Amino acid sequence: MTQFSLSRLGLAAVGLTFAMTALAADPRPAFTPPSAASLPDTEFGKIVRQGEQIFLHTPQMAGKFVGNDLNCASCHLDAGRRPDSAPMWAAYVLYPAYRAKNQHVNTLAERLQGCFRFSMNGKAPAADDPTLTALQTYMFWLASKAPTGVVLEGQGYRKLPAPAQKADYVRGSEVYAQYCAVCHGAEGQGQKQGKHWVFPALWGPDSFNWGAGMHQIGNAAGFIKANMPLGQAGMLNDQEAWDVAYFMNAHERPQDPRYAGSVAATRAKYHDSDDSLYGIEVNGHLLGSDSPAPGGKLIQAAAKPAG
């Protein structure tokens, strides 16, 4: 091969590297979902509205599957519309998808079943249950003008760079007391107005269980940084977001439904990551060792004597 040919190959390789770098640097496509006011007044629109109501009032609309008092909108803000709050329009276009969590390709219905089981501390509806049909229809409508198979701007939760200092319980408790307790309570118990939960519980028996994605410190930190305090998003710096996420997730919550009698074995199989505090000792307490049973209100209702 001649020197000229080698030079051309070298230039081509440089050009390919440059093109690949440019593609990697391209911003994710932006997308704005349709407004609530544009919901169609049709039979299809009726199911869309039903899905929206389930999303906003989950315990009331889908109570037989919900073990706590969270709504879908507790973690997916603005009825699943808000970017960097795991918006529904950005999720819809990426399924079916392989998930490392259960090591196989998940349909959207299976993904939603996991939300009920873990985030809602409840039980999974059947794949063809009207609840899942309505939720998927609502998600489809939100994403109806979006490109499919594309990671959109605002998808999932924001990915923060590693903190400058290791996330810290004491610093996190100070951030929590200053910015979070006014809404979520000094003990993370949330706030109710009558029977309606205005602000969700962040730990304890009324919160999400150890299998939920929000128990992962990175997810919690990204959500907090982009969305909290409510109405004052961006007030916290990255370090504060990491610290308060650590503090929040260093408290007991309902047990992982996959638990089979051993905290150590459950950690090894499902939580073997620096992103999870399950099975780690914090302030002298082994997290997961004193967790309420999963299922919450559903288990309590089943245990009540008939009549």
Side-chain angles (χ1 to χ4, degrees):
M1 188 176 286
T2 66
Q3 183 71 31
F4 179 70
S5 297
L6 288 170
S7 298
R8 286 199 301 176
L9 283 172
L11 287 171
V14 170
L16 179 60
T17 300
F18 178 81
M20 291 175 67
T21 302
L23 285 172
D26 281 349
R28 296 176 176 184
F31 177 73
T32 301
S35 68
S38 67
L39 269 166
D41 189 17
T42 61
E43 287 301 308
F44 174 78
K46 179 180 177 181
I47 304 303
V48 175
R49 286 186 173 87
Q50 182 183 344
E52 180 189 48
Q53 289 304 301
I54 293 170
F55 202 88
L56 292 171
H57 310 290
T58 318
Q60 293 76 26
M61 300 289 293
K64 61 184 177 180
F65 306 117
V66 178
N68 56 28
D69 288 301
L70 302 184
N71 300 300
C72 300
S74 297
C75 295
H76 310 278
L77 304 181
D78 295 345
R81 297 170 178 276
R82 185 181 295 189
D84 295 320
S85 181
M88 294 297 96
W89 44 266
Y92 184 87
V93 299
L94 296 178
Y95 279 87
Y98 178 84
R99 297 189 74 215
K101 183 170 184 172
N102 51 25
Q103 300 181 340
H104 65 262
V105 172
N106 289 204
T107 63
L108 182 59
E110 184 177 5
R111 180 68 180 87
L112 293 174
Q113 287 174 323
C115 290
F116 279 98
R117 188 180 180 206
F118 299 117
S119 296
M120 311 307 293
N121 193 34
K123 64 179 183 180
D128 62 349
D129 189 273
T131 295
L132 290 193
T133 299
L135 286 171
Q136 290 178 90
T137 304
Y138 176 57
M139 293 174 69
F140 166 80
W141 178 74
L142 287 175
S144 55
K145 304 296 183 182
T148 58
V150 175
V151 178
L152 299 169
E153 181 65 26
Q155 184 267 341
Y157 297 126
R158 189 174 296 179
K159 305 302 181 188
L160 298 185
Q165 302 177 69
K166 186 177 179 180
D168 181 78
Y169 184 97
V170 173
R171 288 197 307 266
S173 70
E174 293 168 352
V175 174
Y176 184 87
Q178 182 174 357
Y179 296 108
C180 313
V182 65
C183 293
H184 296 286
E187 300 300 324
Q189 73 272 21
Q191 280 195 52
K192 280 184 176 181
Q193 186 174 47
K195 293 185 177 181
H196 175 68
W197 283 79
V198 180
F199 299 107
L202 300 182
W203 62 82
D206 295 322
S207 191
F208 53 87
N209 68 43
W210 280 113
M214 193 61 81
H215 102 278
Q216 296 171 340
I217 302 171
N219 281 344
F223 174 82
I224 290 165
K225 171 68 177 179
N227 300 289
M228 296 290 133
L230 193 63
Q232 302 177 76
M235 175 181 288
L236 303 182
N237 61 40
D238 287 3
Q239 184 68 58
E240 289 171 326
W242 280 107
D243 289 340
V244 77
Y246 183 98
F247 173 76
M248 179 180 84
N249 285 336
H251 289 82
E252 282 288 17
R253 57 188 64 262
Q255 184 61 264
D256 190 321
R258 301 165 295 183
Y259 173 80
S262 167
V263 170
T266 305
R267 176 172 176 83
K269 189 170 183 178
Y270 301 112
H271 300 279
D272 189 15
S273 163
D274 291 340
D275 208 29
S276 174
L277 293 176
Y278 181 91
I280 298 297
E281 188 172 301
V282 177
N283 295 337
H285 175 72
L286 182 69
L287 290 167
S289 65
D290 193 30
S291 295
K297 295 188 299 182
L298 298 180
I299 299 300
Q300 295 165 17
K304 288 183 179 179

